[in-house]
């Protein structure tokens, strides 16, 4: 079930967005294209962002919808978009934007591996330098397979 | 434990008793409204009520149709289940409340007696067992399967406990009920009447009042009344005096919700004759049973001396019903017995309430409402703090009913509980594991779902005030960076230091 949450077509290494809003849109479109969310989800992501920044530290932000927007989620999915230049995320520099659509906790495994990768500086460097989507997925997948 | 500096301190007996009492009131007091609602419904609609309605009161209609009514199901199911759920929640959050309710349902259906004592035992017990069961595989479930495992483990445990309650708990309580009834019968038949209060009053507050009155006292009383025209036995349980005295004592010397609700409860009890309404007040301060026994004995002694009695059972035990059934030569005796028993109960209960009033008030001020939240064992550790010694409970003694808090349950909280908190929990779990710390669970939740079970709550600094409101008893820690916060290392160190002791 977790293998379908993040796939190579949802990993983009050269994101085009320049602002936080654009990055959220970019991620939302990917989620929508994956059939994971309805068109309403993007608005909920902006709303959630306004509430508190989803900046996590270590160049990572994880935009997602509000608790009330769960109806807009069709399936669990995650996107990972990397940006060459840091995006200004409410005052923090962000290089990786992982948009999350979580349904019934199906996204937890990938989210956990994401957390483990981003709490380890060396792993962050590896991810920022990864040459292609497959190696990013491998980086996240490896951690996932190793369990907690 | 106020002066010692050697943590962790074992709470002494007094603190344990206090904590037990606080736990009881925490289980009962939030549900007082339900008792009041039930009291009104009963006072109005039962056959002997103010405005009898067969369909609501649960007695046969004029045409002979049987009615289920509201009164019976509410006291049989609703009230015990509410108590069980609250008790379960206090032990183990919403999850504990659910399992507690399932298990208590088995106890309820296993017998015909209202199962308050069963609910008060089974509710917390079931939640505690759920907590233990969860601890077996905490942190070992593969991510994504938590929901499945949680639901089925709770469902299966509830299923087993309901059956255990059905066959195990119910006979015990039935036995207790019969024993009390037999005790009352023995004391009545041997003429040691005032001593009957020793079993009648505790039996009453355990909601065995009808079993004792209708099962034992009324049949014996009817026998006596047929011979002499009146019987004192009708007044043994139905005397409205002790309940009135108790509620008056709460009106003057109680604190919080108990004090505020006592005057209304008097209307339901004294005028409406629904004695059950005062039972919760005793259940949350069991020592008060002494006051009721004293009042009950006084009433019985008065009627023995003055030869007072009722012509027929007073049902319900309202002052009006009592006066209606008073034998024509017994008005002075019966009225006096009610007044005197109320006075004696009031005096004893006042002493008891006043002796603990200071502490109750302090708890009230400290927590907003002693009855709903003093149950929180972590009361001394509220608020944000960063001092290791406080975490270890070394100076956590100020309020008397506190405990030394060991951090065992760390909860990451965020708005929806699906994003940042999950990541933070993952990172901290790994750090604890790397540090070789065991016996500490780290979970993630939405702030709205926080409960008293959390020892330490970690939130984003923007959300900490909300989290503090949601879980006032826990220690709160803020982070601004979920991925590499130095706060995590602090937490790991604290837990390690604590475990090293």
């Amino acid at each position: 079930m977790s293998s379908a949450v993040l796939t190579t077509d949802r990993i983009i290494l050269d994101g085009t967005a320049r602002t936080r809003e654009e990055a959220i849109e970019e991620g939302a479109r990917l989620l929508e294209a994956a059939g994971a969310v309805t068109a309403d989800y993007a608005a909920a992501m902006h709303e959630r962002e306004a509430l508190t920044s989803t900046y996590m530290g270590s160049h990572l932000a994880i935009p997602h919808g509000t608790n009330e927007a769960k109806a807009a989620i069709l399936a669990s999915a995650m996107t990972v978009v990397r940006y060459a230049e840091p995006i200004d995320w409410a005052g923090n520099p962000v290089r990786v934007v992982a948009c999350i659509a979580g349904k019934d906790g199906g996204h937890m495994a990938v989210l956990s591996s994401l957390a483990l990768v981003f709490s380890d500086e060396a792993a962050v460097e590896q991810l920022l330098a990864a040459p292609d989507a497959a190696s990013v997925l491998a980086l996240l997948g490896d951690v996932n397979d190793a369990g907690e | 434990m106020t002066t010692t500096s050697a943590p962790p301190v074992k709470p002494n007996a007094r603190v344990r008793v206090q904590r037990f009492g606080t736990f009881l009131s925490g289980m009962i007091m939030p549900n007082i409204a339900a008792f009041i609602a039930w009291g009104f419904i009963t006072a109005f609609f039962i056959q002997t009520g103010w405005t009898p309605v067969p369909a609501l009161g649960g007695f046969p209609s004029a045409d002979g149709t049987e009615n289920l009514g509201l009164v019976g199901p509410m006291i049989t199911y609703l009230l015990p289940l509410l108590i069980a759920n609250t008790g379960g929640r206090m032990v183990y959050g919403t999850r504990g409340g659910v399992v507690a309710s399932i298990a208590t349902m088995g106890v309820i259906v296993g017998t015909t007696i209202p199962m308050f004592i069963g609910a008060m035992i089974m509710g917390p017990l079931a939640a505690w067992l759920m907590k233990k069961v969860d601890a077996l595989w905490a942190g070992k479930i593969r991510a994504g399967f938590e929901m499945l495992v949680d639901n089925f483990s709770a469902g299966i445990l509830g299923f087993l406990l309901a059956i255990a309650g059905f066959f195990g708990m119910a006979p015990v309580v039935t036995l207790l009920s019969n024993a009390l009834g037999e005790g009352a019968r023995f004391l009545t038949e041997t003429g040691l009447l005032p001593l009957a209060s020793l079993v009648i009053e505790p039996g009453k507050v355990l909601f065995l009042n009808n079993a004792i009155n209708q099962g034992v006292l009324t049949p014996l009383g009817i026998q006596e009344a047929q011979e002499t025209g009146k019987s004192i036995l009708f007044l043994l349980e139905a005397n409205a005096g002790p309940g009135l005295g108790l509620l008056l004592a709460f009106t003057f010397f109680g604190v919080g919700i108990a004090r505020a609700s006592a005057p209304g409860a008097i209307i339901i009890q004294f005028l409406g004759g629904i004695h059950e309404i005062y039972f919760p007040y005793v259940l949350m301060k069991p020592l008060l049973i002494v006051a009721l026994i004293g009042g009950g004995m006084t009433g019985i002694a008065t009627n023995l001396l003055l030869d007072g009695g009722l012509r027929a059972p007073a049902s319900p035990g309202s002052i009006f019903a009592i006066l209606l059934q008073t034998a024509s030569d017994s008005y002075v005796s019966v009225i006096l017995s009610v007044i005197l028993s109320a006075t004696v109960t009031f005096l004893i209960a006042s002493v008891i309430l006043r002796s603990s009033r200071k502490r109750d008030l302090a708890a009230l001020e400290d927590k907003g409402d002693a009855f709903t939240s003093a149950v929180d064992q972590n009361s001394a550790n509220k608020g944000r703090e960063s001092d290791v010694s406080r975490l270890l409970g070394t100076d956590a003694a100020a309020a008397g009913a506190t405990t030394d808090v060991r951090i065992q349950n760390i909860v990451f909280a965020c708005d929806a509980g699906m994003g940042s908190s999950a990541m933070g929990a993952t990172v901290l779990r790994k750090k604890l594991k790397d540090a070789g710390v065991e016996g500490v669970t780290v979970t993630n939740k939405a702030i709205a779902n926080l409960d008293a079970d959390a020892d330490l709550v970690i939130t984003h600094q923007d959300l900490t005030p909300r989290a503090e409101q949601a879980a006032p008893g826990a220690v709160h820690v803020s982070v601004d960076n979920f991925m590499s916060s130095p706060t995590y290392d602090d937490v790991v160190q604290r837990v390690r230091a604590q475990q090293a002791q």
Side-chain angles (χ1 to χ4, degrees):
Chain A
M1 146 170 92
S2 58
S3 61
V5 173
L6 181 65
T7 51
T8 45
D9 58 325
R10 285 171 225 160
I11 300 174
I12 293 182
L13 298 185
D14 47 355
T16 54
R18 287 311 317 138
T19 66
R20 182 167 73 159
E21 284 64 37
E22 288 170 14
I24 290 176
E25 285 300 325
E26 189 165 11
R29 277 195 302 274
L30 276 173
L31 286 176
E32 210 184 322
V37 300
T38 68
D40 299 334
Y41 197 63
M45 291 170 80
H46 286 296
E47 199 183 308
R48 170 66 184 79
E49 203 62 44
L51 206 66
T52 351
S53 164
T54 57
Y55 174 68
M56 289 280 107
S58 306
H59 301 288
L60 173 70
I62 53 159
H64 53 270
T66 55
N67 208 7
E68 289 72 38
K70 283 190 170 158
I73 301 176
L74 307 172
S76 290
M78 186 154 86
T79 64
V80 173
V81 182
R82 194 176 73 187
Y83 298 93
E85 289 296 316
I87 289 178
D88 176 4
W89 208 275
N92 297 299
V94 163
R95 291 277 315 273
V96 177
V97 177
C99 290
I100 303 166
K103 193 175 175 66
D104 300 333
H107 62 300
M108 285 303 180
V110 180
L111 194 64
S112 293
S113 17
L114 196 69
L116 292 178
V117 166
F118 276 86
S119 63
D120 176 351
E121 271 178 47
V124 174
E125 289 307 317
Q126 254 184 299
L127 197 144
L128 290 178
D132 50 40
S135 49
V136 170
L137 187 61
L139 204 55
L140 292 169
D142 282 350
V143 184
N144 185 28
D145 289 342
E148 295 176 349
Chain B
M1 57 182 287
T2 46
T3 51
T4 178
S5 59
V9 189
K10 265 209 157 161
N12 62 29
R14 193 175 62 90
V15 171
R16 280 174 191 280
V17 170
Q18 282 170 4
R19 200 185 298 158
F20 180 65
T22 323
F23 185 83
L24 289 183
S25 62
M27 189 153 44
I28 303 286
M29 218 52 224
N31 299 310
I32 276 288
F35 280 89
I36 291 175
W38 177 84
F40 275 122
I41 289 168
T42 309
F44 275 106
F45 301 129
I46 59 173
Q47 196 156 14
T48 47
W50 297 327
T51 55
V53 177
L56 295 173
F59 55 93
S61 308
D63 60 6
T65 326
E66 292 290 333
N67 290 300
L68 180 59
L70 261 179
V71 174
M74 272 181 89
I75 196 166
T76 308
Y77 302 109
L78 178 71
L79 298 180
L81 286 176
L82 280 174
I83 288 175
N85 187 274
T86 309
R89 263 174 192 266
M90 282 162 55
V91 173
Y92 195 42
T94 309
R95 191 167 161 71
V98 172
V99 178
S101 304
I102 303 171
T104 302
M105 196 65 196
V107 181
I108 291 172
V109 178
T111 177
T112 50
I113 303 162
M115 269 300 154
F116 287 84
I117 183 83
M120 290 171 74
I121 296 170
M122 185 50 113
L125 177 70
W128 181 80
L129 286 173
M130 186 74 251
K131 191 173 177 174
K132 292 293 155 195
V133 169
D134 278 354
L136 292 180
W137 45 73
K140 296 191 184 109
I141 305 163
R142 213 179 149 78
F145 286 91
E146 290 95 340
M147 191 95 82
L148 188 73
V149 174
D150 277 1
N151 282 334
F152 273 87
S153 58
I156 291 168
L157 183 68
F159 150 65
L160 294 174
L161 287 177
I163 292 171
F166 188 93
F167 290 111
M169 186 76 92
V172 173
V173 181
T174 307
L175 207 70
L176 178 71
S177 167
N178 290 343
L180 285 171
E182 281 310 307
R185 184 193 300 278
F186 172 78
L187 292 169
T188 310
E189 287 174 346
T190 48
L192 300 166
L193 273 186
L195 294 183
S197 292
L198 286 173
V199 289
I200 292 176
E201 299 301 332
K204 273 182 87 168
V205 297
L206 295 178
F207 290 85
L208 302 172
N209 50 329
N210 288 337
I212 292 175
N213 196 13
Q214 283 150 28
V216 178
L217 300 175
T218 302
L220 290 175
I222 289 173
Q223 233 173 15
E224 190 182 337
Q226 275 169 351
E227 292 161 19
T228 65
K230 65 182 179 187
S231 172
I232 186 176
L233 301 178
F234 296 134
L235 267 171
L236 261 48
E237 191 269 347
N239 184 355
L244 173 67
L246 179 93
L247 291 171
L248 281 174
F250 267 101
T251 306
F252 291 106
F253 304 114
V255 297
I257 305 176
R259 179 185 190 156
S261 58
I266 289 176
I267 297 176
I268 297 171
Q269 185 265 335
F270 193 67
L271 306 182
I274 310 306
H275 290 205
E276 283 87 342
I277 201 78
Y278 76 76
F279 302 168
Y281 295 80
V282 186
L283 291 176
M284 66 190 211
K285 259 197 196 307
L287 188 59
L288 289 170
I289 197 69
V290 175
L292 290 169
I293 291 173
M297 283 181 167
T298 308
I300 296 170
T302 307
N303 279 318
L304 270 183
L305 288 174
L306 301 177
D307 194 27
L310 301 188
R311 282 170 300 175
S315 172
S318 137
I319 187 64
F320 300 130
I322 290 171
L323 291 178
L324 276 175
Q325 301 293 3
T326 300
S328 44
D329 61 351
S330 299
Y331 280 105
V332 174
S333 169
V334 168
I335 292 173
L336 204 60
S337 75
V338 172
I339 294 173
L340 287 178
S341 57
T343 310
V344 168
T345 302
F346 174 78
L347 291 176
I348 303 176
S350 299
V351 171
I352 294 171
L353 287 177
R354 290 185 69 164
S355 70
S356 66
R357 189 154 199 264
K358 224 173 174 178
R359 197 176 63 237
D360 293 343
L361 275 176
L364 191 75
E365 265 172 37
D366 193 33
K367 303 288 292 185
D369 189 332
F371 296 112
T372 49
S373 50
V375 298
D376 194 333
Q377 299 190 336
N378 306 345
S379 53
N381 293 47
K382 64 179 191 148
R384 198 179 309 194
E385 58 76 55
S386 55
D387 177 50
V388 173
S389 72
R390 282 196 66 180
L391 266 172
L392 301 176
T394 46
D395 67 350
T402 59
T403 89
D404 33 302
V405 175
R406 289 185 73 82
I407 306 260
Q408 289 180 325
N409 192 359
I410 301 178
V411 178
F412 264 85
C414 65
D415 180 53
M418 65 147 120
S420 47
S421 63
M423 298 181 75
T426 304
V427 174
L428 182 61
R429 225 176 272 144
K430 179 163 187 292
K431 280 187 186 281
L432 285 168
K433 195 178 173 188
D434 291 349
V437 175
E438 282 180 3
V440 177
T441 59
V442 182
T443 51
N444 62 288
K445 281 186 179 170
I447 287 177
N449 297 336
L450 281 174
D451 56 52
D453 211 42
D455 303 320
L456 177 73
V457 177
I458 307 179
T459 39
H460 188 269
Q461 56 190 14
D462 297 350
L463 299 174
T464 306
R466 258 176 71 196
E468 282 173 345
Q469 275 192 332
V475 176
H476 287 264
V477 171
S478 299
V479 293
D480 57 355
N481 178 335
F482 277 98
M483 290 299 92
S484 56
S485 173
T487 309
Y488 295 159
D489 298 324
D490 287 352
V491 171
V492 172
Q493 262 195 334
R494 285 173 187 183
V495 176
R496 277 182 84 170
Q498 168 190 285
Q499 293 196 338
Q501 288 176 22

